[in-house]
Amino acid sequence: MATLLYRLGRASFRRRRLVAVVWLVVLVGLGAAALTLKGPTASNFTMPGTESQRAIDLLAERFPTASGATGTIAVKAPQAGQLGTPEGQAVVGQVTQEAAALPGVVGAVDPYQAQALSQDGRYALIQVQFAGRADEVTDAQRAAYEKVGAAAEAQGWRIAPGGEVLNAEPEVGSTEALGVLVAAIVLVVTFGSLVAAGMTMLNALIGVGVGMTGLYALSGAVELTSTAPILALMLGLAVGIDYSLFITSRHRQNLLDGLSPEEAVGRAVGTAGSAVVFAGATVVIALAGLAVVNIPFLTVMGLAAAGTVTVAVLVAITLAPALLGFAGRKVLPRRLRRRKAVTSSAGAEDRSGFGFRWAHWVTKLRIPVILVGLIGLGLLALPAQHMRLSLPDAATAAEGTPARVNNDLIREGFGAGFTGRLAVVVTADSPQATQAAVPQVTALVQKTDGVLAVAPPQLDPSGRTALLGVIPKTGPTDAATEALVHDIRDHVGGFRDADVLLTGATAIGIDVSEKLSAALPIYLLLVVGLSVLLLMLVFRSVLVPVKAALGFLLTVAATFGITVAVFQQGHLADLVGLSTPGPLISFLPILLIGILFGLAMDYEVFLVSRMREDFVHGDTARQATINGMGHGARVVTAAALIMISVFGGFVFLDDPVIKSMGFALAVGVAIDAFVVRMAIVPAVMSLLNNAAWWIPRRLDRILPNVDVEGEGLRAHLAEREPAGV
């Protein structure tokens, strides 16, 4: 692979104008396709095979008018008891009529007829039914809905529209640009050259542009969740910058070693590019592996992110060498551009840098470093045992947003249960069977602990399906509500003459969380097994892959613990702008495992491949460990800081889901890079000594040689006079 990439790097260098033009044409073409073919993103989470989803599908068939998005308008009178006066009834009636006349609305329910009034006569709830799903509601319809009741508010009333209809795609704005700006500063400091930093950033931005426009071009044919493009953008930026950084760093070193620019590019792509391809492949495999969980929205998220990472790899091994060709020796700091080649003598190599000093210190104090690292990460992981998962509700939305205002007003006037209503669907082969089952189902539900009220049944036109509204005493993400859902299903699951299904946004969220929790151990086992196998191929070792997998598990556990402590338990929540702590989003753990696995393997490959390279060429195991850290610490530090900056930029978004994803990824990268890979890994490698590189001969013969370290490339170059030396 290294030899093939070496030739690709040189070809891209020689034909740099053609390569640059091709990528620009691809970018413009996909941009035009995105503008014309872009479809809406979905904010709903479907879960085929679950009871709640079967009920939703049944309602869409039997109650087409009730299968669209719903809204709830919370009304608060200036004074208690005012809803009982003629003036109050007139105001509420006007708001109800105004909502019913909105474009896209099927109808609005009068709260007096539905008895949706608080006991003190001050609060009312107006249910609004839209014709289309939440992701089909247009921005104009949503804006008109948010303005309902303006005249009543002018009279001192509080009108707060809310509900799933307000679910919209998170907006990416200037806050994320801060992360990119920090990444650019890190590049400038690392390279000491504006040209090198700018070229690396340009390379990454073109890759992100191609990936994102391609994703939006496909969105008309493939349903994307609202978080999928954000995740793809996060990863595309982070790995795009990092992969270009690795290749540019190796190219600069080759120039300082006296190679011609073309030969320097070829060898950089052949060596660092091999590691980039392998690291990118691990990220792609881990993300595409989310399809194994068999959850559609998660599969789409994984494939979308995997696509942008694939583009980042392709851009790094083709466009990066082309741009390096345009830059020439300007990628070096000004003071080094006229510098002659450094001697290749090992004795003359500068080993006074921080990386070498750090490696000497870690290997000398390896036992204390390992113990401190393990104990520290273990303590950080403790809160993870209390982790709770759910789909987000409006109670955790940013303060001041329409959804949060509506939620707070409903809780104030009616209680938390009114924000997470459940729906019981009763269906049978005949209207008579349905009518006979409904009173029995209603009685069983009302007797269930935790149920506040059961609304009168609504029948479909055929009379064979009835819909019962159920109001729990607790909120959607409360543990008691989860227990209530299971209790209701247990109580009504024994009917022979009718099917009884429980659904609603709260029930869907519980079903999604439980299915994801059940899939988490299987996916974790798959990822860990994959990491051991892949690293065994690369490093021809048994203990190195096992050590890497255990380090990855430490990273994941500590990251979960910190994220739970901040986002669920509320410790230091103000520092990340979190207004209300709550359970973690259901798919965060499994998504975090997939992404952190790939990124952890990035740093493992870039650090340990140099250790193996020096060990194979005659260094002692301890010296090889020091050399690997000495040469790789600066680049890995810069790469980690860049990823942390990019992911951290998303923490400033108001959306709590994106905020938690950005935070968890930033923390995970920091822990894995600075604690696991740059402290625990060299300490363990030093402790294992020669045993780190042991592999049974029979296994060594069976495993294919992927040549990430470039041994085949060195043999190829030795057969001829190296160009440009």
Side-chain angles (χ1 to χ4, degrees):
M1 181 171 67
T3 304
L4 176 64
L5 291 175
Y6 165 78
R7 292 170 177 164
L8 177 62
R10 294 192 63 175
S12 298
F13 180 94
R14 289 194 299 269
R15 296 173 175 81
R16 50 188 175 271
R17 289 181 176 80
L18 175 61
V19 172
V21 169
V22 167
W23 277 111
L24 288 176
V25 169
V26 170
L27 177 60
V28 173
L30 288 176
L35 290 175
T36 55
L37 302 176
K38 179 181 177 182
T41 57
S43 56
N44 58 309
F45 296 91
T46 59
M47 185 65 67
T50 60
E51 178 177 325
S52 56
Q53 188 61 47
R54 294 200 308 273
I56 291 293
D57 296 339
L58 182 64
L59 288 176
E61 177 186 348
R62 303 284 178 85
F63 278 97
T65 58
S67 62
T70 59
T72 301
I73 301 176
V75 178
K76 181 181 180 180
Q79 297 177 359
Q82 197 164 355
L83 291 178
T85 65
E87 295 80 5
Q89 293 178 13
V91 170
V92 174
Q94 178 61 37
V95 174
T96 304
Q97 293 176 13
E98 187 179 342
L102 291 174
V105 170
V106 176
V109 180
D110 189 324
Y112 292 96
Q113 296 179 1
Q115 297 182 346
L117 305 172
S118 64
Q119 293 183 353
D120 63 0
R122 192 175 187 183
Y123 298 86
L125 298 179
I126 303 172
Q127 298 298 323
V128 182
Q129 182 66 53
F130 283 76
R133 298 183 313 175
D135 53 341
E136 296 173 341
V137 176
T138 66
D139 291 339
Q141 291 172 343
R142 191 175 289 112
Y145 174 66
E146 291 182 13
K147 294 178 181 178
V148 167
E153 287 194 326
Q155 301 176 34
W157 290 62
R158 289 194 64 188
I159 311 296
E164 62 176 326
V165 72
L166 290 185
N167 294 340
E169 180 179 351
E171 295 183 359
V172 178
S174 59
T175 54
E176 297 75 56
L178 293 176
V180 177
L181 177 61
V182 174
I185 294 173
V186 172
L187 288 174
V188 173
V189 173
T190 302
F191 289 136
S193 165
L194 287 174
V195 173
M199 186 214 67
T200 303
M201 186 63 71
L202 175 63
N203 193 77
L205 291 176
I206 291 176
V208 168
V210 171
M212 294 301 295
T213 52
L215 181 61
Y216 280 118
L218 291 173
S219 64
V222 179
E223 185 178 77
L224 297 178
T225 59
S226 57
T227 51
I230 305 295
L231 176 64
L233 178 61
M234 278 188 196
L235 281 179
L237 272 175
V239 302
I241 297 173
D242 273 10
Y243 293 165
S244 297
L245 165 68
F246 289 128
I247 291 176
T248 302
S249 297
R250 185 63 65 91
H251 171 69
R252 281 157 49 97
Q253 184 58 52
N254 291 341
L255 287 177
L256 293 176
D257 287 343
L259 298 179
S260 67
E262 181 179 337
E263 185 68 15
V265 164
R267 296 192 186 188
V269 177
T271 53
S274 296
V276 164
V277 170
F278 176 81
T282 59
V283 179
V284 170
I285 291 172
L287 290 170
L290 291 170
V292 175
V293 182
N294 196 29
I295 298 175
F297 74 84
L298 196 60
T299 299
V300 171
M301 289 178 67
L303 293 178
T308 59
V309 173
T310 301
V311 172
V313 172
L314 294 175
V315 168
I317 61 177
T318 57
L319 183 59
L323 295 180
L324 288 170
F326 288 116
R329 293 184 66 84
K330 291 181 180 179
V331 295
L332 296 173
R334 189 179 300 274
R335 69 180 187 281
L336 298 179
R337 291 176 189 172
R338 299 183 181 276
R339 175 179 167 183
K340 300 297 183 182
V342 298
T343 176
S344 59
S345 159
E349 184 180 12
D350 182 12
R351 295 176 179 267
S352 61
F354 172 76
F356 285 98
R357 297 198 306 272
W358 172 258
H360 276 289
W361 184 84
V362 169
T363 55
K364 183 179 180 180
L365 301 175
R366 53 184 178 268
I367 299 298
V369 167
I370 293 173
L371 290 177
V372 170
L374 292 178
I375 294 173
L377 293 180
L379 291 174
L380 291 175
L382 288 178
Q385 62 186 318
H386 304 296
M387 180 169 60
R388 292 189 60 245
L389 303 175
S390 74
L391 290 182
D393 71 324
T396 58
E399 291 184 349
T401 59
R404 178 61 182 271
V405 172
N406 172 267
N407 187 277
D408 290 347
L409 204 58
I410 293 175
R411 286 172 176 261
E412 177 185 318
F414 296 89
F418 280 78
T419 64
R421 300 186 182 200
L422 302 171
V424 175
V425 180
V426 182
T427 184
D429 294 332
S430 66
Q432 293 78 13
T434 300
Q435 292 174 7
V438 166
Q440 301 176 55
V441 172
T442 301
L444 289 173
V445 173
Q446 286 177 330
K447 293 178 182 178
T448 306
D449 290 338
V451 172
L452 183 64
V454 179
Q458 301 178 46
L459 294 174
D460 75 329
S462 69
R464 293 185 294 121
T465 301
L467 178 63
L468 303 174
V470 179
I471 301 174
K473 294 179 180 179
T474 50
T477 60
D478 196 294
T481 306
E482 182 177 347
L484 173 63
V485 167
H486 292 297
D487 290 343
I488 291 177
R489 286 174 173 169
D490 290 340
H491 291 169
V492 301
F495 281 88
R496 294 183 179 180
D497 298 330
D499 290 330
V500 184
L501 305 173
L502 182 65
T503 188
T506 301
I508 291 174
I510 292 171
D511 287 346
V512 169
S513 300
E514 290 181 348
K515 189 166 184 178
L516 285 169
S517 297
L520 187 60
I522 300 173
Y523 184 67
L524 182 60
L525 182 62
L526 174 69
V527 166
V528 171
L530 181 65
S531 69
V532 172
L533 177 61
L534 290 177
L535 292 179
M536 198 177 291
L537 289 175
V538 174
F539 297 128
R540 325 299 294 183
S541 165
V542 173
L543 294 181
V544 168
V546 172
K547 175 263 308 171
L550 293 176
F552 165 68
L553 292 176
L554 282 173
T555 296
V556 169
T559 303
F560 284 168
I562 296 174
T563 306
V564 167
V566 174
F567 282 83
Q568 181 178 310
Q569 299 175 346
H571 302 297
L572 305 177
D574 291 340
L575 294 181
V576 297
L578 181 68
S579 56
T580 306
L584 302 184
I585 181 71
S586 301
F587 56 77
L588 179 61
I590 200 166
L591 202 62
L592 198 63
I593 287 173
I595 297 172
L596 286 183
F597 163 71
L599 301 183
M601 294 306 103
D602 281 5
Y603 303 131
E604 182 76 13
V605 169
F606 288 120
L607 284 175
V608 182
S609 60
R610 182 58 186 258
M611 297 178 190
R612 172 172 165 77
E613 181 180 342
D614 286 5
F615 178 77
V616 169
H617 286 79
D619 277 342
T620 64
R622 181 178 184 274
Q623 187 59 50
T625 299
I626 293 174
N627 290 349
M629 288 297 299
H631 289 290
R634 180 180 176 86
V635 176
V636 169
T637 298
L641 289 175
I642 287 170
M643 281 204 176
I644 293 168
S645 301
V646 172
F647 292 145
F650 289 85
V651 175
F652 298 103
L653 277 177
D654 290 334
D655 187 279
V657 174
I658 305 301
K659 186 188 293 289
S660 63
M661 288 171 59
F663 176 85
L665 287 172
V667 168
V669 169
I671 291 173
D672 193 82
F674 298 126
V675 180
V676 175
R677 306 302 157 187
M678 294 187 64
I680 296 178
V681 164
V684 172
M685 293 293 291
S686 174
L687 183 64
L688 293 174
N689 204 12
N690 290 343
W693 305 110
W694 172 80
I695 187 172
R697 291 184 179 179
R698 180 175 298 180
L699 181 59
D700 189 35
R701 289 194 298 267
I702 295 174
L703 293 175
N705 185 10
V706 295
D707 189 26
V708 171
E709 297 91 352
E711 294 177 11
L713 175 59
R714 283 190 294 273
H716 170 75
L717 294 174
E719 294 176 357
R720 63 178 181 82
E721 182 70 18
V725 179

